[in-house]
Amino acid sequence: MYGSENNREDSERTAFRRAEKNYKLYYDTNASKNKKKKKPKPVDLTEVLDFRSILECHDRNGELPPFVNVIHDKFSSPVFSLQNRPGFYFIPGALSIEKQCSLIRESLIDFPQPPNRTNHNAIYGPIHNLFDEAKEGKVLVEEYSPDGSPKLGPDCDYQDGKRWKFVTEKEELLRKGKSVPASALLRKLRWSTLGLQFNWSRRNYDVSLPHNKIPEALCDLAKELAKPAMPAGVEFQPEGAIVNYFGLGDTLGGHLDDMEADWSKPIVSLSLGCKAIFLLGGKTREDPPLAMFLRSGDVVLMAGEARECFHGVPRIFTDEKNAEIDHLQAQLSHEDDLCFLKYIQTSRININIRQVF
Ligand code: OGA
Ligand code: MN
């Protein structure tokens, strides 16, 4: 392919990029020409740190790898830290199965509701009830205002004389113009923001954007989980959260979260659904990152020096063996929950909660 020489050099320039490339999903192009049968390239996972097996081993015989420390608290799960990454904490299986399921439901039904913004806002404006509309097979269509009025209300309605709305498939057949199935939009939902809204193009929090407070239950959960990374007697104040949605092949490139005022405060990061690989780098992209598994129910805290460390998610596993979501399959087996199960079987959701000021 043209330009591949340069691209290859570029994509392998730093240790972080090389690790991302190493774990990213690639397909064996030689294995089969038939697209339906394309197989993921095998990847060597022997170097990936597995805090669940570290926990099991520690519970069995009290042993820990030399670079891992553990804090035990009578009331909660053990919290692991790493000797060479101060401010980083890993709490394997911190969320109960019930909590995981309620957070998955909320992440799909409630969190993407306006005034919370999603990646779809820029193109379609605010979208209500995306998950339910997708379940009902609805289609989003572009509609012109009857009198050509440019804008009717502050919330949604017509922008430049047009707006998007959901119709049934049958209704869609009778129309001309642009349309997109709700199910396709659900698959392409990549993020939503809770509490203070993050402006991705300006890379800052835009306090002037309308917003709701972070739901109380999530706020209380984050305050509790943040404790190991907080000074005694100081309470974490959740003010904003980003919900990331990952499908097969989706990645989160190496980055720093540097838009919050006080880096001594942790980012509280919850994993739901399919297992992923998380890369924790150092202060530059040249530092070789540590790879670790993130499973549904795991919680990561990044505070202090760890906030200066590049990190990202190069891979999620959606195959039955590696996704490790059996417990969710069982818990979401009720008829009303099958829609959530279907989504989460091939997806991962990450909720990361921040104190902004
Ligand atoms: C982020 C982030 C990590 C994850 O959204 O800033 O680092 O586990 N997410 O998805
Ligand atoms: Mn981050």
Side-chain angles (χ1 to χ4, degrees):
M1 222 165 37
Y2 65 89
S4 62
E5 200 82 330
N6 273 346
N7 285 346
R8 193 178 317 133
E9 267 172 33
D10 202 44
S11 71
E12 293 179 6
R13 212 173 40 205
T14 66
F16 202 96
R17 286 253 180 98
R18 282 193 293 276
E20 283 177 324
K21 239 190 122 187
N22 182 36
Y23 290 114
K24 209 181 132 178
L25 173 67
Y26 289 104
Y27 289 102
D28 252 331
T29 42
N30 296 333
S32 165
K33 292 235 155 56
N34 182 346
K35 264 198 171 173
K36 280 191 185 139
K37 278 195 188 159
K38 64 183 181 181
K39 274 200 172 145
K41 256 193 182 156
V43 44
D44 180 1
L45 299 174
T46 51
E47 297 277 289
V48 183
L49 203 60
D50 185 340
F51 277 103
R52 191 171 70 186
S53 61
I54 290 174
L55 173 62
E56 281 166 5
C57 193
H58 181 67
D59 283 349
R60 237 186 351 258
N61 55 24
E63 277 176 20
L64 280 179
F67 53 93
V68 176
N69 295 320
V70 65
I71 314 167
H72 269 290
D73 170 326
K74 300 199 268 298
F75 306 108
S76 57
S77 333
V79 179
F80 293 101
S81 61
L82 295 169
Q83 246 145 46
N84 58 356
R85 289 286 184 281
F88 177 85
Y89 302 89
F90 196 113
I91 320 176
L95 306 172
S96 69
I97 298 174
E98 291 76 18
K99 192 78 217 170
Q100 291 170 47
C101 290
S102 65
L103 286 170
I104 290 168
R105 291 189 199 97
E106 277 183 284
S107 297
L108 293 170
I109 300 276
D110 306 312
F111 296 164
Q113 294 286 26
N116 296 345
R117 295 161 67 83
T118 76
N119 55 302
H120 290 319
N121 266 76
I123 304 173
Y124 304 103
I127 296 180
H128 293 263
N129 309 323
L130 177 59
F131 191 76
D132 286 333
E133 303 285 11
K135 204 162 62 175
E136 288 166 25
K138 297 280 188 58
V139 182
L140 195 67
V141 297
E142 200 171 33
E143 178 178 69
Y144 290 88
S145 79
D147 55 0
S149 58
K151 198 168 181 196
L152 286 182
D155 183 22
C156 67
D157 294 305
Y158 301 97
Q159 302 270 351
D160 302 325
K162 288 183 259 176
R163 71 171 172 190
W164 292 87
K165 71 164 191 179
F166 284 114
V167 298
T168 62
E169 265 180 329
K170 268 192 187 159
E171 287 169 309
E172 197 265 329
L173 289 175
L174 304 170
R175 307 171 68 96
K176 287 191 240 131
K178 292 184 199 163
S179 70
V180 52
S183 59
L185 290 174
L186 182 63
R187 274 287 151 221
K188 287 186 188 152
L189 180 66
R190 287 306 314 274
W191 57 261
S192 62
T193 41
L194 314 182
L196 284 179
Q197 297 292 295
F198 195 77
N199 183 325
W200 293 84
S201 48
R202 279 194 256 142
R203 284 194 49 76
N204 62 14
Y205 290 92
D206 186 345
V207 293
S208 72
L209 288 171
H211 63 272
N212 294 334
K213 282 212 167 111
I214 295 183
E216 202 174 308
L218 184 60
C219 227
D220 292 345
L221 178 69
K223 284 180 181 178
E224 187 59 33
L225 290 167
K227 280 182 182 166
M230 292 292 290
V234 185
E235 191 171 66
F236 178 65
Q237 298 299 328
E239 290 162 331
I242 299 174
V243 186
N244 293 304
Y245 305 83
F246 297 81
L248 181 65
D250 289 339
T251 62
L252 180 65
H255 67 279
L256 294 176
D257 299 290
D258 51 6
M259 286 304 140
E260 294 76 24
D262 180 357
W263 291 12
S264 73
K265 301 295 184 315
I267 288 183
V268 179
S269 183
L270 321 180
S271 286
L272 303 164
C274 293
K275 190 174 73 181
I277 292 180
F278 181 75
L279 292 178
L280 176 64
K283 294 185 184 178
T284 78
R285 290 179 193 269
E286 313 303 330
D287 299 320
L290 202 63
M292 60 190 84
F293 289 121
L294 282 177
R295 295 182 176 87
S296 195
D298 290 345
V299 171
V300 160
L301 309 175
M302 294 177 82
E305 275 192 52
R307 297 239 4 195
E308 299 170 50
C309 292
F310 281 90
H311 60 278
V313 179
R315 179 73 179 260
I316 77 157
F317 298 95
T318 60
D319 62 292
E320 224 178 308
K321 177 172 162 274
N322 284 300
E324 297 194 42
I325 51 166
D326 289 358
H327 61 292
L328 297 177
Q329 317 246 23
Q331 194 75 16
L332 295 171
S333 60
H334 188 274
E335 198 184 340
D336 296 343
D337 281 329
L338 290 179
C339 52
F340 301 109
L341 179 60
K342 187 161 173 262
Y343 179 92
I344 209 66
Q345 273 170 336
T346 58
S347 310
R348 169 179 188 260
I349 300 174
N350 164 251
I351 306 173
N352 60 86
I353 305 139
R354 298 128 186 263
Q355 177 164 343
V356 176
F357 298 110

